[in-house]
Amino acid sequence: MSDRQNGFAGSSQENSVGVLNDIDTILFDLDGTLINTIDLIIASFLHTMEVYYPGKYKREDVISFIGPPLSETFELLDQEKVNEMTQTYRSFNLEKHDELVTEYEGVMETLEELEKNHFKMAIVTTKRRETALKGLKLMGIDRFFDVVISLDEVTDYKPHPEPLEKAMAALGSTPGKTLMVGDSQHDILGGKNAGTKTAGVAWSVKGSEFLNQYDPDIMLENMKDLLFHLGIS
């Protein structure tokens, strides 16, 4: 992984509409950005940790697990049990999915306005495609996204630029006109590595102060703030 992927290869924070004047394409992360899967993810990790490491992990311990693919997280714990732990996590996650996933305020209205204003949009996620589509459909926002780049479509995942580049290619977009929106450092660094503008979301479970370390171009307090920054509200 390059220094740029690990470090702060970004532009300064500018909370003004001018920074996004030329944007016509929005790439969204999914979990923790468009749909609230945080309780589901944390519950799934806690369940898995309790199976393999009884009594060792609490909520605050597994928050750091959020962002990378499961394989990367579980490899750090036990390389010999990655597949086993992944299956334990996914079985619980699937069982509890519809019960624990909720919507974020302002997301539906924002997507509707972006569609009306002819913005190109895609999902770029480290989830498997099947699970990503399940969440999009549950929240009723699948109709906005013909392009979904999931873990299944890439060799390298965020912060590597590959998934963002695939999304832009599918949409006929260019980095200079694209914004990456996400709740983790992987989204911000992925955008920077792909040459796009970047937006962090203040409702990230890791907090806006943490995300600001990675120097996103803007920080959104509510998804509807995006409309202001794009000059359409």
Side-chain angles (χ1 to χ4, degrees), residues 88-186:
T88 299
Y89 175 101
R90 286 177 173 164
S91 295
F92 180 92
N93 188 275
L94 184 62
E95 178 186 347
K96 299 293 185 179
H97 184 278
D98 291 3
E99 175 185 340
L100 295 180
V101 175
T102 58
E103 65 183 48
Y104 282 122
E105 179 186 354
V107 167
M108 179 65 76
E109 299 92 326
T110 300
L111 295 176
E112 287 174 343
E113 286 299 315
L114 291 173
E115 183 180 56
K116 287 178 186 177
N117 284 271
H118 309 294
F119 281 82
K120 294 179 281 188
M121 297 185 285
I123 296 294
V124 180
T125 177
T126 53
K127 296 185 80 165
R128 293 186 306 163
R129 185 175 189 85
E130 178 185 7
T131 313
L133 294 178
K134 183 179 178 68
L136 288 167
K137 185 174 182 180
L138 179 66
M139 293 295 102
I141 59 175
D142 52 318
R143 61 188 173 92
F144 297 109
F145 299 102
D146 292 330
V147 175
V148 176
I149 304 299
S150 71
L151 190 61
D152 299 331
E153 281 81 53
V154 299
T155 301
D156 296 299
Y157 46 83
K158 296 175 292 184
H160 194 281
E162 181 192 353
L164 286 80
E165 291 170 347
K166 285 197 169 186
M168 288 186 283
L171 292 170
S173 303
T174 59
K177 292 183 176 293
T178 299
L179 174 72
M180 177 71 215
V181 182
D183 71 313
S184 83
Q185 70 270 32
H186 304 283

